[in-house]
């Protein structure tokens, strides 16, 4: 099968950090005016075509996804004896109106909840997010004299520069910046940047703002500094591979995210990672990334979230890729004595 994506599995795994990447890209880069005017991603869901052209492979994909626990819903009811029921929503951290609309049951639960729990409540204040990013220089920049031009081969340097050029940027101009930040800029569709620059809120931010306006308590299960710490623990070699992969795949990112959105809207979050793999994503070396950015954070979310969910009538919303699997937040909450059931 031709490889339609190069290392986009890493992008999928990193998707829970898109809320930070959107913020960082706005803080650090002034994109050209024509990029800000793009409102349509002009993207297509690749899975129908794949299903028609490769029915056997698609059947295998469905079987793999079906075997992943808790991978077929994005909204869940969380209960424990003696406590008022709470709710858990898997989110995508983007501004696409199809995503931010939320399922009707989730909208109702959110409206009635006493408090709202997000990955980080610091997103309510962009200044706090900027402080978190720049509180340690090593979060965003090389502090030991390392440069991107030295880390990239001549061929890869040309590839990354070609991808950055339409945005009015170059590797030389970003030479001391951490590769994951540069990759994030390449991985953001122009329509997403445009909507955000026009004031659209990604789902988690929308929930935070609406909750605050309604007088609800807004809480977080992580700090932004902890998220940046996790990102910086990923080996530098992996970050460089992801940067080059993002540059090679820059013209395919819209289709990748559109495919993910369609699976999300169908509740098929367990199929997202396997689907990108079937479509040609590079999976080499992703296990360490998954541990640092998904599994380790799942345990933090479940441990801290459980304490807050014990209050009852809590609406908790975290990245959808944190929910499914044996090491996902749902299974971890069950091990803590909660009954977690899907809501259609």
């Amino acid at each position: 099968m031709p490889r339609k994506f190069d290392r986009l599995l890493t992008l999928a795994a990193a998707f829970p950090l898109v809320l930070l990447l959107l913020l960082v890209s706005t803080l650090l880069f002034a994109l050209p005016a024509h990029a800000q005017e793009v409102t349509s991603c002009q993207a297509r869901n690749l899975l129908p075509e794949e299903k028609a052209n490769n029915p056997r492979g698609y059947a295998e994909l469905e079987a793999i996804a079906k075997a992943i626990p808790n991978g077929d819903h994005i909204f869940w009811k969380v209960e424990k004896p003696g406590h008022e029921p709470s709710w858990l929503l898997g989110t995508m951290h983007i501004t696409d109106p199809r995503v931010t609309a939320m399922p009707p049951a989730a909208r109702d639960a959110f409206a009635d909840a006493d408090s709202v729990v997000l990955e980080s409540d610091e997103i309510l204040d962009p200044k706090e997010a900027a402080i978190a990013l720049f509180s340690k220089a090593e979060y965003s920049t090389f502090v030991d004299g390392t440069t991107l031009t030295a880390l990239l081969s001549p061929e890869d340097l040309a590839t990354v520069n070609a991808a950055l050029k339409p945005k009015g940027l170059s590797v030389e101009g970003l030479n001391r910046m951490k590769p994951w930040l540069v990759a994030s800029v390449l991985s953001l569709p122009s329509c997403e940047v445009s909507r955000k620059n026009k004031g659209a809120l990604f789902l988690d931010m929308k929930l935070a703002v609406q909750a605050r306006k309604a007088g609800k308590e807004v809480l977080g299960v992580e700090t932004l500094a902890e998220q940046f710490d996790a990102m910086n623990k990923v080996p530098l070699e992996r970050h460089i591979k992801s940067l080059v992969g993002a540059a090679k795949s820059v013209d395919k990112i819209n289709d990748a995210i559109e495919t993910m959105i369609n699976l999300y809207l169908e509740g098929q979050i367990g199929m997202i990672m396997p689907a990108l793999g079937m479509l040609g994503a590079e999976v080499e070396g992703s296990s360490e990334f998954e541990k640092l950015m998904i599994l380790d954070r799942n345990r933090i979310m479940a441990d801290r979230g459980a304490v807050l969910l014990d209050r009852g009538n809590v609406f908790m919303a975290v990245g959808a890729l944190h929910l499914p699997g044996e090491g996902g937040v749902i299974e971890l909450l069950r091990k803590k004595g909660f009954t977690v059931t899907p809501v259609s």
Side-chain angles (χ1 to χ4, degrees):
M1 179 186 300
R3 286 172 37 157
K4 297 177 183 176
F5 300 110
D6 186 13
R7 295 187 176 88
L8 280 178
L9 190 59
T10 296
L11 170 66
F15 220 63
L17 279 179
V18 169
L19 76 161
L20 302 181
L21 306 186
L22 285 171
L23 170 63
V24 169
S25 67
T26 301
L27 287 173
L28 302 184
F29 302 107
L31 297 178
H34 68 82
Q36 297 176 10
E37 295 169 358
V38 176
T39 57
S40 172
C41 282
Q42 298 179 336
R44 60 195 180 98
N45 177 9
L46 296 171
L47 288 182
E49 178 183 334
E50 192 68 30
K51 183 177 183 179
N53 295 337
N54 183 18
R56 178 177 296 181
Y58 194 84
E60 292 175 359
L61 168 65
E62 290 184 312
I64 292 171
K66 188 175 181 179
I68 297 174
N70 314 310
D72 57 357
H73 286 77
I74 62 171
F75 188 49
W76 301 76
K77 188 175 185 179
V78 183
E79 299 173 283
K80 181 184 279 190
H83 298 266
E84 199 172 349
S86 290
W87 310 90
L88 176 62
L89 175 70
T91 68
M92 286 188 75
H93 310 308
I94 58 177
T95 63
D96 189 294
R98 295 169 295 175
V99 171
T100 59
M102 291 198 301
R107 292 199 298 268
D108 292 342
F110 173 77
D112 293 338
D114 292 329
S115 56
V116 173
V117 175
L118 305 170
E119 288 183 22
S120 172
D121 58 347
E122 293 169 287
I123 61 174
L124 275 166
D125 187 348
K127 291 182 180 179
E128 283 193 27
I131 290 171
L133 175 63
F134 297 115
S135 62
K136 293 184 179 180
E138 59 267 29
Y139 283 161
S140 57
T141 59
F142 293 113
V143 295
D144 58 358
T146 300
T147 61
L148 287 175
T149 50
L151 293 171
L152 294 167
S153 69
E155 180 182 0
D156 288 342
L157 177 61
T159 298
V160 177
N161 265 331
L164 286 171
K165 185 176 180 180
K167 300 180 183 294
L169 302 169
S170 69
V171 173
E172 290 76 11
L174 308 172
N175 219 356
R176 292 186 59 213
M177 193 160 291
K178 288 293 181 74
W180 71 269
L181 278 170
V182 181
S184 76
V185 175
L186 294 176
S187 300
L188 290 174
S190 296
C191 60
E192 186 68 29
V193 176
S194 177
R195 285 193 297 259
K196 185 176 184 298
N197 286 343
K198 292 180 178 179
L201 302 177
F202 55 89
L203 178 52
D204 304 68
M205 176 68 88
K206 179 179 178 180
L207 292 172
V209 170
Q210 289 183 346
R212 180 64 58 85
K213 286 183 178 178
K216 302 178 190 292
E217 185 178 24
V218 180
L219 304 163
V221 289
E222 293 181 300
T223 67
L224 296 184
E226 287 173 331
Q227 292 186 343
F228 288 128
D229 268 331
M231 180 65 82
N232 276 279
K233 286 178 182 177
V234 176
L236 179 58
E237 179 184 351
R238 183 65 191 167
H239 279 307
I240 291 296
K241 288 181 178 179
S242 297
L243 170 58
V244 176
K248 290 180 177 178
S249 305
V250 70
D251 61 335
K252 305 178 182 71
I253 185 63
N254 288 359
D255 289 345
I257 293 181
E258 180 66 17
T259 301
M260 294 172 68
I261 288 174
N262 277 268
L263 288 172
Y264 173 82
L265 295 174
E266 294 169 3
Q268 297 301 320
I269 54 176
M271 192 181 287
I272 290 176
M273 301 288 268
L276 292 179
M278 184 184 74
L279 292 168
E282 181 72 52
V283 298
E284 180 183 0
S286 65
S287 59
E288 187 170 12
F289 190 99
E290 182 184 14
K291 176 184 182 300
L292 290 167
M293 296 307 303
I294 304 294
L295 298 177
D296 288 352
R297 293 176 61 214
N298 288 352
R299 287 189 284 273
I300 293 173
M301 291 178 185
D303 289 345
R304 296 174 183 172
V307 175
L308 300 174
L309 290 166
D310 271 336
R311 299 181 178 186
N313 198 26
V314 170
F315 187 94
M316 181 172 173
V318 299
L321 292 182
H322 289 287
L323 300 189
E326 294 291 346
V329 170
I330 291 171
E331 284 301 314
L332 293 175
L333 288 176
R334 286 174 176 155
K335 290 177 181 178
K336 294 179 181 296
F338 292 94
T339 299
V340 188
T341 52
V343 179
S344 299

